[in-house]
Amino acid sequence: MSYGWATVFTLAAWFAGLVIDVNVRVGDLGLRTVLPVIVMGCCVMKYIKGNSK
């Protein structure tokens, strides 16, 4: 996992959270913040797993 892919996935998660927050009328769910954090955490864990070999 390189920095470029991590950036692409994080921006895609931010955009998906933005779209979901705008279209769901429940209120501000905070998905613009939560989804990119989760995705970046997954990218970091994948990077750590790949380097331990």
Side-chain angles (χ1 to χ4, degrees), residues 4-42:
W5 283 114
T7 303
V8 168
F9 290 140
T10 303
L11 288 175
W14 176 82
F15 185 72
L18 177 68
V19 170
I20 294 169
D21 271 347
V22 168
N23 290 327
V24 175
R25 301 285 182 211
V26 176
D28 187 21
L29 299 174
L31 293 178
R32 286 172 285 189
T33 307
V34 172
L35 287 180
V37 168
I38 292 170
V39 168
M40 184 56 74
C42 291

